[in-house]
Amino acid sequence: QSPKKAKKKIEGGSNVFSMFEQTQIQEFKEAFTIMDQNRDGFIDKADLRDTFAALGRLNVKNEELEEMVKEAPGPINFTVFLTMFGEKLKGTDPEETILNAFKIFDPEGKGRIKADYIKEMLMTQADRFSQEEINQMFAAFPPDVSGNLDYKNLCYVITHGEEKD
């Protein structure tokens, strides 16, 4: 296959390829190739066992390998492998990062912060918010009757684009 055809195939194929930079796709491809020990284009239990052995872990339970293979919707070719990584990476890191940032203001981990306190912090620290930005935030996420901001819901909406039920 010529490089032009291969490139078209990647761009026109599954939407999963648009989730990653070309360099990331190449790194995933290298990882896939390393894991596909028997070079049949699919990762199966035997490939996983061999990969673990190559990493020095010899006595991997069959159940553990079966659980890993069962995470896939079917045989694990490169597109499925990439899709699985995409699903694992999508939404997890940003939401967790944002939640951890809010936890600085909520050491007990209650999931709520006094709206007045967060307003003061946002307007006086680091990249300061304007009054208009504060108003927009509270219009989208009004504090509850006690004057608390539900930052866990805020983080969910920021990273997933919709409110939890």
Side-chain angles (χ1 to χ4, degrees), residues 68-97:
M68 289 178 184
V69 172
K70 266 197 266 180
E71 283 186 42
I76 307 171
N77 64 16
F78 181 62
T79 303
V80 171
F81 180 80
L82 199 59
T83 303
M84 290 172 73
F85 267 99
E87 287 169 359
K88 292 251 189 258
L89 296 173
K90 187 175 69 183
T92 55
D93 187 39
E95 184 174 12
E96 201 171 321
T97 303

Side-chain angles (χ1 to χ4, degrees), residues 137-152:
M137 182 179 79
F138 286 141
F141 299 95
D144 65 17
V145 291
S146 307
N148 293 312
L149 176 69
D150 178 355
Y151 72 83
K152 287 187 175 179

Side-chain angles (χ1 to χ4, degrees), residues 3-4 10 14 20 22 41 44-45 53 56 64 67 78 86 108 110 112 115 121 128-129 133-134 137 140 150 157:
K4 279 186 180 173
I10 288 171
S14 172
F20 299 104
Q22 197 60 44
D44 56 22
K45 282 193 323 189
E64 192 177 350
E67 283 300 311
F78 181 62
E108 292 93 44
K110 293 177 181 168
R112 295 180 176 353
M121 290 294 113
R128 293 179 173 95
F129 275 45
E133 289 170 320
I134 294 290
M137 182 179 79
D150 178 355
V157 174

Side-chain angles (χ1 to χ4, degrees), residues 120-130 133:
E120 181 188 333
M121 290 294 113
L122 289 171
M123 292 182 78
T124 61
Q125 306 297 314
D127 291 335
R128 293 179 173 95
F129 275 45
S130 67
E133 289 170 320

Side-chain angles (χ1 to χ4, degrees), residues 1-8:
Q1 215 177 29
S2 75
K4 279 186 180 173
K5 279 186 182 172
K7 192 169 192 231
K8 277 207 169 48

